[in-house]
Amino acid sequence: MASRKETSSAPSAVMASVGGSLDSPVKQIQIEGLVVLKIIKHYQEEGQGSEVVQGVLLGLVVDDRLEITNCFPFPQHTEDDADFDEVQYQMEMMRSLRHVNIDHLHVGWYQSTYYGSFVSRALLDSQFSYQHAIEESVVLIYDPIKTAQGSLSLKAYRLTPKLMEICKEKDFTPEGLKKASIGFENMFERGYPIIIKNSHISVLMWELEDKSTVSDKHELLNLSSSNHLEKSLQLLMDRVDDMSQEIVKYNTYSRNLSKQQQQKHQYLQRRQQENTQRQSRGEPLLPEEDISKMFKPPQPPPRMDTLLIAGQVNNYCQNVKEFTSQNLGKLFMVEALQGHN
């Protein structure tokens, strides 16, 4: 997995060497404050604009709680670095952590996102690989844009059991997805409560609060949000255009299939009429033919891409909704302050 590209990882070999899957289900996630700071620092040092950063999450499972106690980033490299071995790099990192008695078991991975643009086939393949090897694996999505506006955005996602079965069977046909009742709204398990536990970071936040000025505090009521909202709507429109193209592909497939069914029906009718006439004249019937070879059905377009696009559109809509809700709250607070003055 390249740290500067949204590519699919191959963690199975690494995780197979550190243990099998765990048994207890996860109901909450506890993250050390140092892990949060490492993720933020990783993006600040290597993240540029829409480019994402990725890394490995380490920890353990205690009862129904997944404890993330450490992490390390995937190093920055380009496609020209053909000699770089990602699996060997992860093995060496975990071996070094084990030597200094630090938790070194895989529990998932993290990735930054650009205006919520993380629902993709690469993320789906990576999370499937992790979750297939270790059942409790999660992916943490860090949004630096929201975090820069004063609210830490860190969310955990897992693939639903139905989607895991579809990915195992690699049956992404419309019939397979319909049979499994898979839609964009039930592709991911979300809503896991995330607890950041670290007394040292609490002390640091208290010290920063004491050093902040009154003018800095008033920045929380800043209403200048047009850039963020405009960019989110632009990305939303781009994905809606992609969805329109997928709809055109599916409509074209439906028309071609219907046209072929009509041609097949007409051919069978002509063949039946010809056999009737031959039978009346006492001639032998036409030889049997393989209709399936003569009329091969067109290949349906892959529906997984459409589901991912729909999921990303839904994610953009939720982001816009949350952002506008915060701005409405600011407007009411500003109105109350003005009335008080």
Side-chain angles (χ1 to χ4, degrees), residues 11-40:
S12 301
V14 178
M15 290 186 288
S17 65
V18 298
S21 63
L22 303 172
D23 296 329
S24 58
V26 172
K27 296 182 180 179
Q28 64 176 351
I29 300 174
Q30 177 178 300
I31 308 177
E32 293 289 338
L34 180 61
V35 175
V36 178
L37 294 177
K38 283 184 176 181
I39 294 175
I40 296 175

Side-chain angles (χ1 to χ4, degrees), residues 55 64 70 102 110 130 153 189 290 318-319 321 330 332:
D64 62 349
N70 204 349
I102 295 178
Y110 69 85
Y130 274 96
S153 178
E189 293 179 348
D290 191 352
Q318 293 298 326
N319 289 342
K321 178 182 177 181
K330 292 179 182 179
F332 282 117

Side-chain angles (χ1 to χ4, degrees), residues 57-283:
L57 299 175
L58 306 175
L60 66 159
V61 175
V62 180
D63 297 331
D64 62 349
R65 183 176 68 254
L66 176 63
E67 297 185 1
I68 301 175
T69 59
N70 204 349
C71 68
F72 62 85
F74 286 103
Q76 178 181 353
H77 65 278
T78 62
E79 296 179 354
D80 298 332
D81 302 329
D83 297 335
F84 180 78
D85 190 342
E86 297 177 356
V87 175
Q88 183 64 26
Y89 168 77
Q90 295 183 49
M91 293 294 295
E92 291 178 356
M93 284 294 297
M94 290 188 296
R95 188 180 299 110
S96 300
L97 293 173
R98 184 172 62 249
H99 288 165
V100 294
N101 198 24
I102 295 178
D103 294 332
H104 60 279
L105 298 180
H106 269 83
V107 293
W109 59 296
Y110 69 85
Q111 175 181 299
S112 65
T113 181
Y114 180 70
Y115 286 96
S117 305
F118 64 89
V119 182
S120 64
R121 188 60 179 269
L123 181 135
L124 179 68
D125 294 340
S126 295
Q127 181 57 24
F128 171 73
S129 298
Y130 274 96
Q131 204 165 319
H132 180 67
I134 295 182
E135 184 180 356
E136 284 76 11
S137 296
V138 299
V139 52
L140 287 182
I141 301 298
Y142 167 65
D143 192 334
I145 306 297
K146 287 186 178 179
T147 302
Q149 299 197 5
S151 176
L152 176 62
S153 178
L154 200 63
K155 297 181 180 180
Y157 294 89
R158 285 167 42 83
L159 302 184
T160 59
K162 290 183 178 180
L163 187 57
M164 286 292 296
E165 291 297 326
I166 291 293
C167 292
K168 288 179 183 178
E169 298 174 0
K170 299 185 183 301
D171 184 12
F172 301 128
T173 60
E175 293 77 13
L177 295 176
K178 182 179 180 180
K179 181 180 179 181
S181 300
I182 294 293
F184 70 88
E185 67 278 358
N186 57 1
M187 293 176 60
F188 295 97
E189 293 179 348
R190 61 193 77 192
Y192 289 96
I194 296 179
I195 302 172
I196 300 178
K197 183 179 179 181
N198 196 323
S199 59
H200 300 290
I201 194 172
S202 301
V203 174
L204 176 61
M205 293 175 63
W206 180 261
E207 292 177 354
L208 294 177
E209 180 71 16
D210 289 340
K211 293 180 181 179
S212 64
T213 62
V214 176
S215 59
D216 293 333
K217 295 178 182 178
H218 286 171
E219 289 183 358
L220 295 176
L221 300 179
N222 185 9
L223 301 178
S224 59
S225 58
S226 59
N227 292 336
H228 184 280
L229 189 59
E230 179 183 0
K231 185 62 177 179
S232 298
L233 291 176
Q234 286 178 351
L235 293 172
L236 175 60
M237 289 188 293
D238 291 340
R239 300 307 282 174
V240 170
D241 290 339
D242 294 339
M243 176 62 73
S244 300
Q245 295 177 6
E246 292 295 324
I247 294 175
V248 170
K249 292 179 182 178
Y250 186 77
N251 289 337
T252 303
Y253 159 75
S254 299
R255 288 194 300 268
N256 292 337
L257 182 61
S258 176
K259 182 179 179 180
Q260 187 187 69
Q261 292 294 335
Q262 292 178 359
Q263 293 175 349
K264 181 179 179 181
H265 182 68
Q266 293 173 359
Y267 174 80
L268 292 176
Q269 283 184 335
R270 291 195 301 268
R271 180 181 175 86
Q272 185 178 5
Q273 293 175 358
E274 178 69 19
N275 283 333
T276 303
Q277 294 175 2
R278 283 174 172 266
Q279 188 175 11
S280 63
R281 295 193 301 264
E283 299 176 357

